[in-house]
Amino acid sequence: MPHSKQLIKLTASNYLATVIKFIVMIYLTREMFLQLPKESYGFWALLWSIFGYSVLLDLGFGVALQKKTSEVIEHQDWDSYNRTASTLFGTYFLLGFVIVLLTCLSAPFLHLLFVFEPETQTLYTQCFLFFGIGTGLIFPFGIFMEVLRGALCMQIRNRIEVLRDIANCIALVIALRMNADIRVLAIIVIASQCLANIAMYIAAKRALPQLRLSWRLYSPTKMVELMSFSLCAYVITISNLIVFRTDQIVISALAGVGLVAYYHVTTRLAEIFRLLCSQIHDVLAPMSSSFNAQQDKQALRQLLLRSQRFVCLIVVLLIVPAWFFVEDLLRIWLELNNQQTLWCARILLLNIAILVIYRNTTNQILLMCGYQKPLMWIGITECLANLILSCLLIQHLGIMGVALGTLIPNTVLAIFVSIPMTRKFTQISIWQIYKPLVIASLAVGLPFASGLLLFEQVTEGYNSLFHIIAVCVISAIPALLFAYKSYLSTSERHQLKHIISSLVPRRQLKL
C-alpha cells in the first residue's frame, strides 16, 4: 500500500475511534461529575494521576518495542525480535509486581499525603488498593498494544479500545445508578482493561504469527542493548508525565483535593482537544521508524512537513469553536459557571495547540531517527520549569496559575528549541515552518470565527449541545471551502476526491 494512502487510512481509523471514545468520555465524565460527591470525584481523578505514573516503570521499553516491531517487518530477523519481546515481557512482569508492592506499602499513609475528610479514609484506601493492585497485574500485557502499533495494525487496536470503552462506560453508569461507591468503579475499570489486553494479545499473534514469547528467550544482553535508546525515551516519558499529571497533585497538596475536580474537567476538555488534533501522531512513529530502517531521508522530511501542515489545519478548525464555546460547553455539560475554570480551560487549549503543532509532530519522527538525547534534555527542562512555575503561581492565581505554569515553558521551548530543530532536519526556512499556520489561520480560522460571531449577534444564547453543533457545522462550511481552495495543494485535492469517491457506494440507479 502506498505510504500516503496508508497514512490517510490509519489516521482516518484513529479519528473514527477517537470520535467514539470522545462521545463516551463526555457522557461518562458528566455522569461521574454529577453523581459522585465532589471529593470522591476529585479522589477518582487523583487515582488516575497517581497510577498514570505506572508508565514510569515502562522504562521506555514500549517505544523501543514499537521501533523493533517496525524494523523486524523490514529485516525479518525474528529470532532476535522474539528474544527482545520475551525479555521485555519478563521485565514488565517484574515491574508489575513492583507496582503491587508500592501500592500496598503506600496505602496506609494516604491520609498523610493528601487532604480529605477523615470518615472517607477507609473507602479511599480500599479503592486505592483495588486500583493499584489491578494496575500491577495487567501491566505486563500492555506490550501487545505496542506490538500492534509498531506493526501498523492501528485499525485492530482501535476496534478493541472502542469496545473496551463502550463496555466500561455501560458498566460504570449501571454501577453509578445503583449508588455503587468508587471501589466498585475501580474494579470495573481494571476488569475491562484486562479483557482488552487479552484481545490485543490474540490480535498481535494473528498479525505477527512468528511472534513467540517464552521465559527461555529472556536475555539480559538484549536488555543492555535496548537501554541506550529506551532510557532516553523513558526520560521523555517521565517528563511528559510530570507535565501532564503533576498539576492535580500540586493542587491537591497546596490547595486541597476539592479544587482538583474543577481543574480536572478543564484538563478533560484539553485532552479531548489533543486527541482530536493529534491522531496522525500515532502513525508517525512506526512509519518514520520504517523509513529510517530503509535510510530514506527524503521520505522522512516529506512525512514531517505534510504531517505538520495537516495538524495545523485540524488545530485551527477545532480551536476556533472550542475557544468560542468553552463557557457554554462547561455550563451545559457540567453545570459549571466559574470564570477561573473558564480561563483555565482556554489556557490549556492554547497550550495543546502549540504542543501538537510545533513539538509533538517533530518529536514523534525525530525520536525514531537518533534524536533521543536532545529530546530527553528538552523534556527534563520543561518538566522542571512546569513544576516550579505551577508551585509559585498557584499561590497567587489559583488553578489558573497551574495552567500558566504548563503553557509558559511549552511556548518558550517550541519557539526557541523545537522550531529550530525542525528547520535543521527539513532544511527549510523559518517562514516555511510558520507558513502553514499563518495560511490556515487566515484562510480557515478567520471565516470560521466570523461565521460564529455573526450567529452570536442573532442568537439569544446556546442552551443545548445540539444547538452548538448545528451553528458550528453551518459556520464551518465557508471555512472548509476556503481550506479546499486555498490550503490544499492540487495533488492533495485529487487525493481527497479519490478518498470521498471510494467511500460512496458504487451503485448505479436503474430507471
Side-chain angles (χ1 to χ4, degrees):
M1 185 185 294
H3 296 307
S4 58
K5 190 176 178 182
Q6 188 180 31
L7 181 67
I8 293 169
K9 190 175 178 181
L10 294 177
T11 305
S13 168
N14 283 351
Y15 269 105
L16 181 61
T18 301
V19 169
I20 296 171
K21 289 194 277 187
F22 164 77
I23 294 168
V24 171
M25 188 200 298
I26 288 178
Y27 176 70
L28 187 57
T29 302
R30 177 183 166 81
E31 286 288 322
M32 297 188 76
F33 188 80
L34 295 179
Q35 296 203 33
L36 285 174
K38 285 294 172 286
E39 191 180 77
S40 290
Y41 184 81
F43 187 78
W44 183 254
L46 188 61
L47 271 184
W48 283 94
S49 295
I50 292 171
F51 287 104
Y53 278 96
S54 62
V55 183
L56 290 179
L57 296 175
D58 169 81
L59 300 177
F61 292 135
V63 181
L65 187 59
Q66 274 180 43
K67 190 169 184 284
K68 290 292 178 187
T69 305
S70 300
E71 289 172 355
V72 77
I73 292 170
E74 293 294 328
H75 301 311
Q76 296 292 312
D77 186 0
W78 289 101
D79 287 339
S80 173
Y81 178 74
N82 284 332
R83 284 201 301 277
T84 301
S86 298
T87 303
L88 293 187
F89 186 79
T91 306
Y92 279 6
F93 188 83
L94 295 174
L95 293 173
F97 175 74
V98 172
I99 294 175
V100 173
L101 187 65
L102 288 176
T103 301
C104 295
L105 290 175
S106 57
F109 305 103
L110 274 187
H111 65 289
L112 300 177
L113 297 171
F114 305 110
V115 181
F116 49 72
E117 298 296 328
E119 60 270 21
T120 56
Q121 183 180 339
T122 304
L123 170 69
Y124 291 164
T125 303
Q126 289 176 353
C127 180
F128 182 82
L129 282 169
F130 291 159
F131 208 94
I133 292 171
T135 301
L137 292 177
I138 63 177
F139 187 77
F141 301 94
I143 70 162
F144 300 114
M145 187 176 69
E146 305 293 350
V147 170
L148 288 174
R149 189 181 173 199
L152 289 171
C153 295
M154 282 78 166
Q155 291 163 300
I156 300 169
R157 182 207 59 186
N158 289 340
R159 286 181 207 135
I160 295 170
E161 287 186 342
V162 165
L163 286 174
R164 176 203 62 194
D165 284 3
I166 292 173
N168 185 54
C169 177
I170 293 171
L172 286 175
V173 170
I174 291 172
L176 285 168
R177 297 288 164 88
M178 295 174 71
N179 296 320
D181 59 47
I182 56 175
R183 290 172 294 193
V184 178
L185 306 187
I187 292 170
I188 290 171
V189 168
I190 295 299
S192 59
Q193 184 58 50
C194 183
L195 292 173
N197 285 346
I198 293 170
M200 286 198 192
Y201 166 70
I202 296 169
K205 282 291 288 179
R206 285 183 178 172
L208 304 175
Q210 301 93 332
L211 171 65
R212 192 160 67 90
L213 297 177
S214 168
W215 289 108
R216 285 179 293 180
L217 294 175
Y218 188 93
S219 166
T221 311
K222 275 287 170 193
M223 181 67 67
V224 175
E225 180 186 318
L226 288 169
M227 291 293 271
S228 60
F229 174 84
S230 66
L231 273 181
C232 293
Y234 175 57
V235 175
I236 294 168
T237 303
I238 293 176
S239 308
N240 289 335
L241 268 177
I242 291 174
V243 169
F244 289 107
R245 306 273 184 185
T246 311
D247 288 350
Q248 284 93 332
I249 295 175
V250 169
I251 295 168
S252 63
L254 298 179
V257 172
L259 275 181
V260 175
Y262 295 98
Y263 188 81
H264 182 67
V265 296
T266 65
T267 59
R268 276 289 192 186
L269 273 180
E271 179 65 14
I272 292 167
F273 178 62
R274 188 189 66 78
L275 283 174
L276 290 174
C277 292
S278 61
Q279 287 308 305
I280 195 171
H281 293 157
D282 193 45
V283 189
L284 289 183
M287 283 194 81
S288 54
S289 177
S290 178
F291 288 146
N292 193 48
Q294 299 167 33
Q295 298 291 310
D296 193 343
K297 302 291 182 190
Q298 182 62 23
L300 282 166
R301 292 190 190 101
Q302 288 299 319
L303 182 65
L304 197 158
L305 293 173
R306 285 179 182 169
S307 309
Q308 210 164 44
R309 284 187 75 245
F310 176 79
V311 171
C312 280
L313 179 62
I314 295 295
V315 165
V316 171
L317 277 171
L318 292 176
I319 199 170
V320 170
W323 187 280
F324 197 87
F325 288 115
V326 64
E327 186 173 7
D328 297 297
L329 285 173
L330 286 173
R331 178 174 48 78
I332 295 168
W333 181 30
L334 300 171
E335 300 173 12
L336 271 177
N337 189 16
N338 179 297
Q339 284 300 306
Q340 194 174 52
T341 307
L342 165 68
W343 281 103
C344 187
R346 282 180 170 158
I347 291 168
L348 291 179
L349 285 174
L350 184 59
N351 175 66
I352 294 294
I354 295 168
L355 183 74
V356 295
I357 292 176
Y358 289 118
R359 297 189 59 202
N360 283 355
T361 306
T362 308
N363 291 357
Q364 290 290 327
I365 294 173
L366 296 188
L367 182 62
M368 297 296 174
C369 300
Y371 283 72
Q372 60 267 26
K373 285 186 180 175
L375 294 176
M376 177 185 73
W377 287 112
I378 293 169
I380 291 171
T381 306
E382 182 181 15
C383 76
L384 287 174
N386 176 276
L387 194 58
I388 293 168
L389 280 174
S390 296
C391 290
L392 290 174
L393 294 176
I394 193 174
Q395 309 290 344
H396 308 284
L397 300 171
I399 59 172
M400 203 165 73
V402 178
L404 283 171
T406 304
L407 173 67
I408 293 169
N410 177 38
T411 308
V412 171
L413 286 170
I415 294 171
F416 296 105
V417 181
S418 295
I419 290 174
M421 281 178 70
T422 306
R423 178 174 174 264
K424 186 178 176 183
F425 184 78
T426 55
Q427 299 176 347
I428 61 174
S429 66
I430 285 287
W431 161 242
Q432 284 176 299
I433 292 175
Y434 284 111
K435 186 179 170 184
L437 181 60
V438 173
I439 295 177
S441 302
L442 293 174
V444 182
L446 199 58
F448 198 174
S450 303
L452 294 177
L453 286 170
L454 191 63
F455 266 103
E456 190 182 48
Q457 301 303 316
V458 296
T459 305
E460 295 180 359
Y462 300 95
N463 295 314
S464 72
L465 194 58
F466 178 78
H467 192 182
I468 291 174
I469 292 172
V471 169
C472 285
V473 170
I474 295 169
S475 303
I477 292 171
L480 290 172
L481 288 174
F482 276 114
Y484 183 79
K485 290 289 184 184
S486 311
Y487 194 80
L488 299 183
S489 65
T490 306
S491 63
E492 287 169 339
R493 287 199 289 269
H494 179 74
Q495 283 183 1
L496 183 62
K497 284 179 185 174
H498 179 73
I499 292 168
I500 293 172
S501 64
S502 68
L503 294 174
V504 176
R506 295 176 182 175
R507 294 177 184 171
Q508 292 184 346
L509 184 62
K510 294 181 180 179
L511 297 175

